[in-house]
Every structure is written in structure tokens, then in C-alpha cells.
Amino acid sequence: MMPMVEVGELVTAPFEFTCVAKHHHDIEEVRLSAIREVADRRFKDGIRVELSWQGYCPCCGRRVSVEPIHGSVAV
């Protein structure tokens, strides 16, 4: 399980992320970029939380949207 992370904070734990566009695995400097609450009636309280991550992908040569490969994320 990932440690607690705030928006804008770097993830320092050694968790793997993948580039959303091309699925590269060598992602550096991963940050939590946003937390959004989305209305979703499937959940008891009617709200689903979406996390947006960004990181630097050396293969793409720029900052890209990334997603965690394993584990859950605490915010």
C-alpha cells in the first residue's frame, strides 16, 4: 500500500507507475496532480474519488499522465 500523499507532493516510495499514452515503465518524479470527486450512484455515499498522477517519462521526453501499476493509494 502506498503512503499518504497530498496533491502536488512527490511520491518517494519505490512504487511502479506506467505512462498512460505508451505504457512505458521508467517513470520518474511522480506527483499526485489532482483529486476529483465524481458523482456515482454505485457507491454508498454517491461519490467516487478519482486520482490524477503525472510523472516524467524519459522515453517520451516530457511529463505525462501516469497510473500506478500495483497497490492502492491513500490520500
Side-chain angles (χ1 to χ4, degrees):
M1 185 164 165
M2 261 193 204
M4 298 287 284
V5 180
E6 297 289 329
V7 174
E9 186 178 352
L10 275 172
V11 176
T12 56
F15 291 97
E16 291 190 44
F17 286 82
T18 182
C19 171
V20 172
K22 298 186 179 179
H23 306 289
H24 297 134
H25 293 282
D26 299 327
I27 306 299
E28 302 169 356
E29 299 178 7
V30 175
R31 293 182 189 273
L32 179 59
S33 59
I35 299 174
R36 288 186 291 275
E37 294 181 350
V38 180
D40 192 336
R41 295 186 308 182
R42 296 177 294 171
F43 292 85
K44 184 170 77 174
D45 59 355
I47 296 173
R48 173 174 40 97
V49 176
E50 290 183 351
L51 304 174
S52 296
W53 300 91
Q54 285 193 344
Y56 178 76
C57 180
C59 298
C60 295
R62 59 189 172 94
R63 291 194 66 76
V64 294
S65 294
V66 296
E67 58 189 21
I69 294 175
H70 301 290
S72 59
V73 179
V75 288

